[in-house]
């Protein structure tokens, strides 16, 4: 059978997976206790989640009416994407609950009171665990959507590709570079400025040197939005090529140096010493 050209839809799904992942990390780095996220911040997260759910729905509708439905295995892929719409909706619902739980700044009908600031601070403290719980669930659901989009995009590309294309060999990494990349892949990272110097903050606080980060970035193993000022902080993620480099495993340790043999004593030298 003729395989349909769905390269555009594969690209859309991959971009959706990336966008779901970006939103996942943005929510993950919201510190409720420290930042007291306001209505504008939460609403922007909510609108983005809604937009992603709508884009995913459009992709499922297109694929369900395309020649892809004739490809063996397409039912499983479409079912996975259909379930991901529900998952995205759960994330959107949790963000809506976070919006509803967020304290606002209105004044009571009796006019400004002396204890308004204290009352608002107490409201923030009471709302913090509720906000944290809803944001945590939303981040988990968005991460799952990202995984499904990338997985299905990979499957569609394989099912409809005219011929297998050999990928270039993954990048060979030195030991320090591999450890740095593994730390960045465990939960993403944030590139920010601390004490007037650039700092790489990983999810588990594993230190990553600027030199290792710069080398990995130059090799195309990392992705971050250069349009975002470092003063605001940039989300950093590992690219597909970076994951391929990690899949090789850590580099082998160099062989231990072999000690040079000591001088040998011959029979003639022993005789001359007698």
């Amino acid at each position: 059978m003729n395989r349909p050209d769905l390269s555009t839809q594969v690209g859309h799904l991959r971009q959706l997976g990336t966008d779901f992942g970006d939103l996942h990390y943005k929510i993950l780095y919201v510190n409720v206790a420290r930042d007291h996220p306001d209505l504008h911040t939460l609403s922007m997260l909510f609108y983005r989640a809604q937009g992603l759910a709508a884009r995913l729905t459009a992709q499922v509708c297109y694929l369900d009416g395309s020649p892809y439905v004739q490809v063996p295995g397409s039912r499983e892929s479409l079912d996975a994407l259909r379930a991901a719409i529900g998952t995205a909706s759960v994330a959107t619902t949790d963000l809506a609950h976070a919006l509803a739980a967020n304290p606002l700044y209105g004044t009571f009908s009796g006019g400004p009171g002396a204890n308004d600031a204290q009352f608002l601070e107490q409201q923030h403290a009471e709302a913090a665990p509720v906000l944290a719980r809803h944001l945590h669930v939303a981040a988990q659901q968005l991460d799952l959507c990202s995984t499904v989009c990338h997985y299905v995009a990979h499957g569609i590309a394989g099912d409809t590709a005219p011929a297998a294309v050999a990928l270039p060999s993954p990048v060979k990494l030195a030991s320090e570079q591999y450890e740095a990349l593994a730390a960045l892949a465990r939960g993403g990272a944030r590139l920010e400025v601390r004490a007037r110097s650039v700092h790489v903050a990983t999810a588990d606080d594993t230190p990553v040197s600027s030199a290792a980060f710069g080398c990995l970035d130059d090799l195309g193993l990392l992705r971050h939005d250069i349009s975002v000022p470092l003063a605001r902080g940039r989300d950093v993620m590992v690219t597909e090529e970076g994951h391929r480099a990690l899949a090789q495993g850590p580099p082998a340790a160099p062989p231990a140096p072999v000690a040079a043999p000591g001088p040998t004593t011959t029979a003639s030298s022993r005789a001359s010493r007698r």
Side-chain angles (χ1 to χ4, degrees), residues 1 8 88-89 125 128-129 133 153 171 184 200 207 219:
M1 63 173 290
T8 301
S89 299
R133 182 171 69 252
V171 177
L184 294 168
V200 183
L219 290 171

Short mmCIF file of all heavy atoms in Angstrom, two decimals, residues 1 8 88-89 125 128-129 133 153 171 184 200 207 219:
data_model
loop_
_atom_site.label_atom_id
_atom_site.label_comp_id
_atom_site.label_asym_id
_atom_site.label_seq_id
_atom_site.Cartn_x
_atom_site.Cartn_y
_atom_site.Cartn_z
N MET A 1 0.83 -1.20 0.00
CA MET A 1 0.00 0.00 0.00
C MET A 1 0.87 1.25 0.00
O MET A 1 2.00 1.24 0.48
CB MET A 1 -0.90 0.02 1.24
CG MET A 1 -0.18 0.09 2.57
SD MET A 1 -1.28 0.32 3.98
CE MET A 1 -1.81 2.00 3.71
N THR A 8 4.12 16.60 8.04
CA THR A 8 3.67 17.85 8.67
C THR A 8 3.01 17.57 10.01
O THR A 8 3.26 18.25 11.01
CB THR A 8 2.69 18.59 7.75
OG1 THR A 8 3.33 18.88 6.51
CG2 THR A 8 2.22 19.88 8.40
N ALA A 88 -4.88 16.16 29.19
CA ALA A 88 -4.67 17.61 29.10
C ALA A 88 -5.82 18.36 29.77
O ALA A 88 -5.62 19.41 30.39
CB ALA A 88 -4.53 18.03 27.64
N SER A 89 -7.03 17.82 29.64
CA SER A 89 -8.18 18.45 30.28
C SER A 89 -8.08 18.39 31.80
O SER A 89 -8.47 19.33 32.49
CB SER A 89 -9.47 17.78 29.81
OG SER A 89 -9.63 17.92 28.41
N ALA A 125 -1.01 31.82 53.12
CA ALA A 125 -0.47 30.67 53.84
C ALA A 125 -1.45 29.49 53.79
O ALA A 125 -1.04 28.33 53.64
CB ALA A 125 -0.16 31.05 55.28
N ALA A 128 -1.59 28.09 50.11
CA ALA A 128 -0.35 27.55 49.54
C ALA A 128 -0.39 26.04 49.32
O ALA A 128 -0.07 25.55 48.23
CB ALA A 128 0.85 27.94 50.41
N PRO A 129 -0.77 25.21 50.32
CA PRO A 129 -0.78 23.76 50.07
C PRO A 129 -1.80 23.35 49.01
O PRO A 129 -1.58 22.39 48.27
CB PRO A 129 -1.11 23.17 51.44
CG PRO A 129 -1.71 24.28 52.23
CD PRO A 129 -1.08 25.52 51.73
N ARG A 133 -0.70 21.53 45.53
CA ARG A 133 -1.25 20.22 45.14
C ARG A 133 -1.80 20.26 43.71
O ARG A 133 -1.51 19.38 42.90
CB ARG A 133 -2.34 19.80 46.12
CG ARG A 133 -2.94 18.42 45.80
CD ARG A 133 -3.86 17.95 46.90
NE ARG A 133 -5.09 18.75 46.98
CZ ARG A 133 -5.35 19.62 47.94
NH1 ARG A 133 -4.48 19.82 48.91
NH2 ARG A 133 -6.48 20.31 47.95
N ALA A 153 4.25 10.53 17.68
CA ALA A 153 4.93 11.14 16.53
C ALA A 153 6.02 10.21 16.00
O ALA A 153 6.16 10.02 14.78
CB ALA A 153 5.53 12.48 16.92
N VAL A 171 26.74 11.61 19.73
CA VAL A 171 27.96 12.31 20.15
C VAL A 171 28.65 11.53 21.26
O VAL A 171 28.02 11.01 22.17
CB VAL A 171 27.58 13.72 20.65
CG1 VAL A 171 28.81 14.46 21.16
CG2 VAL A 171 26.92 14.51 19.53
N LEU A 184 21.07 17.04 33.90
CA LEU A 184 20.11 17.91 33.23
C LEU A 184 18.89 17.14 32.74
O LEU A 184 17.78 17.66 32.69
CB LEU A 184 20.78 18.62 32.05
CG LEU A 184 21.90 19.60 32.42
CD1 LEU A 184 22.67 20.00 31.18
CD2 LEU A 184 21.33 20.84 33.10
N VAL A 200 23.79 27.25 36.61
CA VAL A 200 22.91 26.19 36.11
C VAL A 200 22.29 25.49 37.32
O VAL A 200 23.00 24.83 38.09
CB VAL A 200 23.67 25.18 35.24
CG1 VAL A 200 22.72 24.14 34.67
CG2 VAL A 200 24.43 25.88 34.13
N PRO A 207 25.63 19.78 40.82
CA PRO A 207 26.39 20.90 40.23
C PRO A 207 26.77 20.61 38.78
O PRO A 207 27.19 19.50 38.44
CB PRO A 207 27.63 21.00 41.12
CG PRO A 207 27.75 19.66 41.78
CD PRO A 207 26.37 19.11 41.91
N LEU A 219 27.18 21.50 21.25
CA LEU A 219 26.99 20.25 20.53
C LEU A 219 25.53 20.03 20.13
O LEU A 219 25.21 19.04 19.45
CB LEU A 219 27.46 19.07 21.39
CG LEU A 219 28.97 18.95 21.63
CD1 LEU A 219 29.27 17.90 22.67
CD2 LEU A 219 29.68 18.62 20.32
#
